[in-house]
Amino acid sequence: MSSVPLSAQLINLFASVILLMAFAMLAQRRVLPLINLFAIQGAVLAASTGVVAVTTHQAHLYWSAGLTLALKALLLPWILHRLVRRLNVKWDVESLINIPTTMIVGIVLVVVAFNVALPISQLSSTISRGTLGIALASVMLAFLMMITRSKAIPQVVGFLAMENGLFLAATSATYGMPMVVELGIALDVLVGAIILGVFFFQIREQFDSLDIRHLERLKDS
Amino acid sequence: MDTFVLMLAIPLVSGMLLTVVGEREWAPNLNIVASLGTFLSSALLTGEIIADGPRMAFGEMFFIDSLNVFLVTLTAFVGLTTSIFSGPYMKNEQEHGRLTKGRMRLYKSMFQLFMFTMLAALTTNNLGILWVAMEAATLTTVLLVSLYRTPASLEAAWKYFILCGVGIAQALFGTILLYFAAERVLGETGNALLWTRLVDVKGQLEPTVMALAFIFLLVGYGTKVGLAPLHNWLPDAHAEGPTPVSAVLSGLLLNVALYAILRCKVLADGALPGGFAGNLMMGFGLLTLVMAAFFLSRQKDIKRMFAYSSIEHMGLITFAFGMGGVVANFAGLLHMTMHSLTKSAIFFAVGHATQKTGTQIMENIRGLLRINPVIGWGLMLGTLAILGMPPFGVFASEFMILTHAMKHHPWATPVLLLALGVAFASIFGRVQSMVFGETHAKRLPHAPAITPVFLHLAIVLALGLYIPPYLTRWFHEAAKMIG
């Protein structure tokens, strides 16, 4: 089985780890391990981008690998850890649907994602094309996590994990977006995380809790 | 200096300046002067574009043609009138104790930065940067929606952030797919997301990928337009944020998001000649229109009601662009303009009315004509205009959309008429009982700025009676570009 080059095997391995992390986040009940899982996903994403960069010699991919590592594996998890400590939240993550059911829904989503991505990855000529389905699956799993969690921080982790999946999609289908776009996206994510941090304090000040079930009063009569 | 650079630099620089000096006594004037500067440079830019045709700026980074320059002028104009309106309005809010000095500063600087992101989104040539600017527009307004820090406003801002975040993530996936399709034709250069390059090769883009990309882009940017079923953030954000923010969200942000969809539709139409993109837009537009019309009748809060009215009109405009062709596009663009001007005028009037009566619940607002005839008539005329009464301009554009639908898509006509009728009945009845009757309201410490309301309504009225030929030509050219 020497027909698949080592780099492609590595990329596929990393992609499956990313998917595994997406499932692990879906199953995780505690908030600090959830942030750590997110950090691991970011690190693996950076590693996978790095491998693509080395094999294809695309200069800008080195930059985006570095940016991913700095932003998603280090800076954002650090901000989230600080937030959790400052807000003094140690509760369990509550899920609106029980976790086994969520996992089954997750598996269905993965199958759907693979089917949607199949015609596109056949058109692609990149070394990492097989991972497009995984990327779409991670986006959908992160989305599922956002829907099923009732606390603010897990929702935000879901939001950021969704961005991870999108980044994987960009590298696997096209070797990454143009540099200026990637920088812009990174800036938006960072500013978004900071604004959310400010926002958490506002919510806490008002409700004495970060449970977003308090945020269900606005309805159409 | 280049008018284009000036137009982008003024809001950016003044936004940063206002983060420092935003609580000073003269800061509202600085806000107005900056908006005036932006408007003047955009007007000059429009003159240049009309005289010399489309142009680029900063290499190929920015692209200005007759389609976006008209939206740029509209955006800068409504930005200017909103900044005039918000001066006394925000001072009143501060004196009612709803806002601190720090939040006044936040409001003014974020307002200018929001203008910057919208102008950048409108003029950029790079579809990736368009995405970045749209997301930045959400980020600058999310703290404005929660400006009052009440439980309801925090909830609205949270919903706004999460729903638009999810929506915009889908748009990013669409952009990635678009880049993927483009790269196969244009090669691995940084130019494969430049709209001007893409439009030259739109016929060669891979149809299956483009179809999927357009679905994601439509649903993604559609969330920000307020298209059903992801419209839930819109009424909350409009009702709970300060009124000037509701005015710019409704009058401008929705337009910019719709503009993003239009740019993508041009590309999708090139790759998919069967009218796939248009049919999708017609479907979403009609669904949104009907849903909004029926929700309208159930509203109790005045700002929520007009927010649903914005959703309704966005549905109608999306439907018009979905029909395609020069006439329908012309009507869509005209309706976009009329809706922006009228809806922001209504929000100005509503802002003053709620400040006077101290409530947003429509049952408790009575006799606006007794409190202040000018505000009362402003709200009444604005409502008549938005409901499509002749001779206001909204009538002209709605009439064009309806007749075009009758000719080419007769099945849709009853649905359109029904939705417009339901909307008319629900809004008109409510506003009538708010404007007329007895009242017991108090005087405000700062006299409201009424000029913007009547300025907008006067333009809408004038355009309803007579559209000058150069404006017709201009709309026509823009309509042809959308195809």
Side-chain angles (χ1 to χ4, degrees), chain B residues 126-145:
Chain B
N126 187 320
L127 291 174
I129 299 294
L130 173 63
W131 184 89
V132 172
M134 288 298 300
E135 170 71 1
T138 313
L139 294 177
T140 49
T141 39
V142 70
L143 289 180
L144 290 185
V145 170

Side-chain angles (χ1 to χ4, degrees), chain A residues 133-144:
Chain A
I134 293 185
L136 191 56
S138 333
V139 174
M140 285 183 161
L141 288 177
F143 188 42
L144 182 65

Side-chain angles (χ1 to χ4, degrees), chain B residues 289-436:
Chain B
L289 176 65
V290 172
M291 185 277 316
F294 283 95
F295 268 103
L296 262 175
S297 58
R298 296 171 54 188
Q299 300 309 314
K300 296 195 172 77
D301 181 313
I302 182 165
K303 281 166 81 180
R304 269 185 97 80
M305 182 177 79
F306 282 113
Y308 269 107
S309 153
S310 291
I311 301 181
E312 178 215 337
H313 284 275
M314 283 299 139
L316 188 63
I317 299 170
T318 311
F319 178 79
F321 286 127
M323 286 193 292
V326 175
V327 180
N329 287 339
F330 184 101
L333 290 173
L334 188 64
H335 200 76
M336 249 167 136
T337 317
M338 297 304 155
H339 174 255
S340 283
L341 291 170
T342 317
K343 192 50 72 61
S344 39
I346 289 179
F347 272 117
F348 297 156
V350 165
H352 290 313
T354 52
Q355 234 171 17
K356 290 244 180 210
T357 52
T359 176
Q360 287 181 204
I361 307 298
M362 285 186 275
E363 282 173 2
N364 301 336
I365 304 175
R366 285 289 176 268
L368 282 176
L369 273 184
R370 296 280 173 108
I371 311 171
N372 187 332
V374 188
I375 294 176
W377 280 117
L379 183 62
M380 197 68 212
L381 291 176
T383 308
L384 287 175
I386 203 75
L387 290 172
M389 284 281 112
F392 289 102
V394 181
F395 171 75
S397 50
E398 277 186 359
F399 188 73
M400 278 169 77
I401 295 173
L402 270 176
T403 46
H404 193 79
M406 274 179 209
K407 222 182 284 170
H408 300 274
H409 305 277
W411 54 270
T413 325
V415 186
L416 288 175
L417 283 174
L418 175 73
L420 291 176
V422 171
F424 185 94
S426 8
I427 295 183
F428 189 74
R430 301 264 165 75
V431 172
Q432 196 188 24
S433 56
M434 277 189 286
V435 171
F436 301 106

